[in-house]
Amino acid sequence: MISEEAGEMLMVYDDPSNQQSLSLDDGSSTEESHDDTRLSLETNTDTVPYIGQRFATHDAAYQFYSEFAKRCGFSIRRHRTEGKDGIGKGLTRRYFVCHRAGSTPAKAANEGKQQRNRKSSRCGCQAYIRISKSSELGAFEWRVTGFANHHNHELLEPNQVRFLPAYRSISEADKSRILMFAKTRISVQQMMRLLELEKCVEPGYLPFTEKDVRNLLQSFRKIDSEDESIDLLRICRNIKDKEPDFKFEYLLDSNNRLENIAWSYASSIESYDVFGDAVVFDTTHRLTAIDMPLGIWIGVNNYGTPCFFGCVILREENLRSLSWALKAFLGFMNGKAPQTMLTDQNMCLKEAMAAEMPSTKHALCMWMIVAKFPSWFNAVLGDRYNDWKEEFHRLYNLESIEDFELGWRDMVTSFGLHANRHIANLYALRSLWALPYLRSHFFAGMMAIGHSKSINAFIQRFLIAQTRLPHFVEQFKDQAAEQQIMQQNLQNINLKTGAPMESHAASVLTPYAFSKLQEQLVLAAHYASFQMEDGFLVRHHTKLEGGRKVYWMPREGIISCSCHQFEFSGILCRHTLRVLSTGNCFQIPERYLPVRWRRVTGTPPSKLVQDPQRNHSENVQMLRNMVSSLISESGKSKERLEIATEGVSMLLSRIREQPVSSTDGNAIQRNV
């Protein structure tokens, strides 16, 4: 929403230590006429400072110049004061300068303290106003004796200047509301949205920012965070004593204070073994009880519901801490890195990912980016905001990189966003969020903006428990059992096409995964396939041009499509299904029914693989238990029974094709 310059100036500038940064003495300042200093300002004479202008107090002069500066696109600060003997006593002359006047002196290096090295907004601007104290008829007043309005930097637009610190403020009434919201443990983003609704203002138009609210809350903190962090470490140790498979790591600073802590439960590690191919690492929240950044690792299971993998609490969200967090997470998961990881737009996290998980494809959560759009673009685009957002989503969902690049340039030109720093940053990071650059990587459907609702609801469920640290830590171990109960209550599937491939998929995939494949099967009927020299061309029956290229090798059981949907989601697309149907394929090849989308009853698929250390009778007993569960689950409805009967029939056919040894046959006969 604000320009790069305004973004750099979101800090306090009133630094009285810089006394020699501007030469505004009698010899160097010019006594300019009113006409000389008007420049290109289209404003009334009464609103522009001029030589000889009178004020009752220096505060009144400051207020007048501040209002003038806000209309022009800058803010001011008090610079220098002078006193002389003779005319009154004490202060006799004051200088008010542009907030970008002077230069910031370099800080002395401190080896024991990390330097922030923030870029200063000061650029030696010479714009100023000088007022001098005078006396007429025994009454003191202040007169303008020097004024210059020449700036060596760009002035901000009205919708940008309001974000300068001088013009941002939280009223006492708003402070009371914010502190009341804080007691309910809602996030700062939620506080901002509620205040916008209460005041009937557009998103991004409050006279303060999220950072101002965070600073306010920090100033009113009344709990001892050190004691809370010590309790957190004690809680994890107690859980470890009760549950040896519980894992946690922590880091203490030189003063033995808790710096970072991460943990994961055995059930979470088992889930990660199967569903850890795609992970979301959400670091946008804070643990209010101890006012520390909170990171949660989340995935999606075979039923399409979020599952918890691990949690970390950091003192600071910097490169060192985030690298430590990723190392701890890999330690929990026995060194197994995910194929892909989605995060917020955090440059420190980007560097940490590259260093600690070089084989993992890093991408940005689109829903986290979209959540910032109102504050970034609403004021800039005004009535055109919704049109721009619609065009952005169209570009986001394109398949071709070339089409994206051309469309992006047209969008920037059409909406006049060439100088917008957020647009520039988004384009620079396009390979981390735009789908044309990511379709060849697996994300388990989590790139979809609509999927954010379930993930956000999942996270919020944990954040509600922040008031009680023990419950906050312990609640994660119960989520696996709750999910299993919820999954068993899912609706039964309904066949729509009558195609053998549909029945086959229904017997293998979970209802969630099957519904995704079924959508593609239904759409496949509307597509035509044309055999080419190097594959097939598939397009909608109403189209005469375009289409997708499908490559099929029946003997090897390999099929691929130029749309890359299977690589992206693990679900075959309508184009490949059309080619399989045309080629008289009545079952979906095994490799295109991923284990992570198959039906699992309690035990992860990796655990169902026979243990070579287990004897034959134990394997038969495990099979008996599975058959018992199959009968129990299948008998709950007619539809389930039909699926089970058809699936078992195909399974028996495959089993009878396998050779049978006399020893194994006798063993089975004895145990069945």
Side-chain angles (χ1 to χ4, degrees), residues 263-421:
W263 68 88
S264 181
Y265 281 89
S267 59
S268 300
I269 297 170
E270 286 187 359
S271 294
Y272 180 86
D273 187 40
V274 185
F275 309 117
D277 41 17
V279 176
V280 172
F281 185 28
D282 190 340
T283 58
T284 61
H285 305 280
R286 296 182 74 86
L287 187 59
T288 308
I290 54 178
D291 192 33
M292 294 173 72
L294 172 71
I296 302 179
W297 287 279
I298 306 167
V300 170
N301 66 14
N302 52 337
Y303 286 84
T305 56
C307 52
F308 168 80
F309 292 146
C311 189
V312 64
I313 296 174
L314 309 171
R315 179 180 298 174
E316 294 186 12
E317 198 174 349
N318 53 30
L319 176 60
R320 176 175 172 271
S321 294
L322 291 169
S323 296
W324 179 92
L326 295 177
K327 287 180 182 178
F329 180 73
L330 287 175
F332 297 157
M333 306 307 169
N334 302 311
K336 179 183 176 181
Q339 295 178 27
T340 57
M341 183 175 284
L342 290 160
T343 73
D344 188 23
Q345 189 175 344
N346 184 318
M347 297 310 295
C348 289
L349 188 51
K350 182 175 181 291
E351 292 183 35
M353 284 280 301
E356 306 301 334
M357 295 183 176
S359 63
T360 299
K361 174 60 180 176
H362 180 212
L364 302 180
C365 291
M366 196 60 225
W367 66 82
M368 295 184 187
I369 295 177
V370 170
K372 301 172 185 176
F373 280 178
S375 61
W376 285 356
F377 301 113
N378 207 344
V380 174
L381 295 169
D383 295 338
R384 304 186 69 193
Y385 171 70
N386 288 330
D387 294 335
W388 171 84
K389 189 165 64 171
E390 183 178 345
E391 175 62 11
F392 178 89
H393 287 302
R394 185 189 73 82
L395 296 175
Y396 168 73
N397 285 291
L398 289 174
E399 292 182 3
S400 166
I401 292 178
E402 292 181 1
D403 291 344
F404 175 85
E405 294 288 343
L406 291 173
W408 186 272
R409 286 196 290 268
D410 292 341
M411 179 267 289
V412 171
T413 301
S414 176
F415 290 91
L417 296 171
H418 293 90
N420 187 280
R421 70 185 181 96

Side-chain angles (χ1 to χ4, degrees), residues 432-464:
L432 299 181
W433 60 264
L435 292 188
Y437 295 90
L438 299 172
R439 291 191 183 276
S440 60
H441 300 277
F442 180 73
F443 288 97
M446 292 191 293
M447 284 292 289
I449 297 176
H451 204 80
S452 64
K453 292 183 179 179
S454 61
I455 292 181
N456 285 334
F458 183 78
I459 294 174
Q460 289 301 322
R461 192 187 83 182
F462 296 131
L463 296 180
I464 291 173

Side-chain angles (χ1 to χ4, degrees), residues 365-648:
C365 291
M366 196 60 225
W367 66 82
M368 295 184 187
I369 295 177
V370 170
K372 301 172 185 176
F373 280 178
S375 61
W376 285 356
F377 301 113
N378 207 344
V380 174
L381 295 169
D383 295 338
R384 304 186 69 193
Y385 171 70
N386 288 330
D387 294 335
W388 171 84
K389 189 165 64 171
E390 183 178 345
E391 175 62 11
F392 178 89
H393 287 302
R394 185 189 73 82
L395 296 175
Y396 168 73
N397 285 291
L398 289 174
E399 292 182 3
S400 166
I401 292 178
E402 292 181 1
D403 291 344
F404 175 85
E405 294 288 343
L406 291 173
W408 186 272
R409 286 196 290 268
D410 292 341
M411 179 267 289
V412 171
T413 301
S414 176
F415 290 91
L417 296 171
H418 293 90
N420 187 280
R421 70 185 181 96
H422 296 299
I423 286 292
N425 288 338
L426 284 172
Y427 183 73
L429 298 172
R430 63 194 181 281
S431 63
L432 299 181
W433 60 264
L435 292 188
Y437 295 90
L438 299 172
R439 291 191 183 276
S440 60
H441 300 277
F442 180 73
F443 288 97
M446 292 191 293
M447 284 292 289
I449 297 176
H451 204 80
S452 64
K453 292 183 179 179
S454 61
I455 292 181
N456 285 334
F458 183 78
I459 294 174
Q460 289 301 322
R461 192 187 83 182
F462 296 131
L463 296 180
I464 291 173
Q466 289 194 46
T467 52
R468 295 179 58 245
L469 279 179
H471 180 54
F472 177 77
V473 178
E474 294 173 355
Q475 65 183 328
F476 295 104
K477 68 179 179 181
D478 299 325
Q479 57 96 27
E482 293 176 7
Q483 285 181 348
Q484 187 174 358
I485 294 172
M486 180 175 61
Q487 290 159 7
Q488 292 175 353
N489 294 329
L490 290 173
Q491 293 182 353
N492 297 319
I493 61 174
N494 296 310
L495 302 182
K496 297 180 180 180
T497 69
M501 279 194 295
E502 183 184 26
S503 300
H504 176 224
S507 67
V508 178
L509 301 177
T510 63
Y512 169 79
F514 173 73
S515 68
K516 300 298 181 182
L517 182 67
Q518 189 179 53
E519 291 176 6
Q520 299 301 314
L521 275 168
V522 172
L523 292 171
H526 299 272
Y527 281 74
S529 64
F530 306 91
Q531 189 163 4
M532 314 291 285
E533 292 183 1
D534 57 344
F536 293 82
L537 180 65
V538 182
R539 60 172 173 248
H540 197 270
H541 72 94
T542 61
K543 304 293 183 180
L544 299 178
E545 296 180 353
R548 305 292 186 274
K549 291 294 294 291
V550 176
Y551 304 92
W552 185 30
M553 293 182 283
R555 291 183 179 179
E556 293 79 3
I558 297 175
I559 191 168
S560 63
C561 181
S562 59
C563 75
H564 297 293
Q565 176 167 310
F566 181 78
E567 293 85 349
F568 186 65
S569 65
I571 303 295
L572 283 177
C573 64
R574 64 200 74 171
H575 316 110
T576 53
L577 291 171
R578 179 58 182 170
V579 171
L580 289 173
S581 178
T582 304
N584 296 323
C585 184
F586 301 106
Q587 288 191 1
I588 296 174
E590 283 293 308
R591 70 174 65 197
Y592 299 108
L593 296 171
V595 172
R596 69 113 52 237
W597 290 134
R598 298 191 183 196
R599 295 172 180 267
V600 180
T601 55
T603 305
S606 61
K607 301 299 182 182
L608 296 179
V609 178
Q610 290 192 0
D611 187 348
Q613 302 298 324
R614 192 164 48 208
N615 61 40
H616 190 75
S617 60
E618 289 176 339
N619 288 332
V620 173
Q621 181 60 44
M622 184 185 72
L623 177 61
R624 181 185 288 111
N625 294 337
M626 294 173 65
V627 171
S628 176
S629 298
L630 174 66
I631 296 173
S632 175
E633 290 294 325
S634 301
K636 293 181 179 179
S637 70
K638 179 181 178 181
E639 291 80 2
R640 287 190 176 192
L641 190 58
E642 291 176 353
I643 295 172
T645 302
E646 184 175 355
V648 170

Side-chain angles (χ1 to χ4, degrees), residues 35-46:
D35 292 335
D36 291 335
T37 59
R38 188 178 302 172
L39 296 178
S40 62
L41 296 173
E42 296 178 1
T43 184
N44 297 327
T45 302
D46 293 341

Side-chain angles (χ1 to χ4, degrees), residues 114-133:
Q114 185 177 1
Q115 299 295 318
R116 300 180 68 177
N117 293 326
R118 294 183 301 182
K119 185 178 178 181
S120 172
S121 67
R122 299 190 183 184
C123 60
C125 180
Q126 294 290 314
Y128 79 101
I129 188 173
R130 182 180 66 231
I131 58 174
S132 301
K133 194 174 185 180

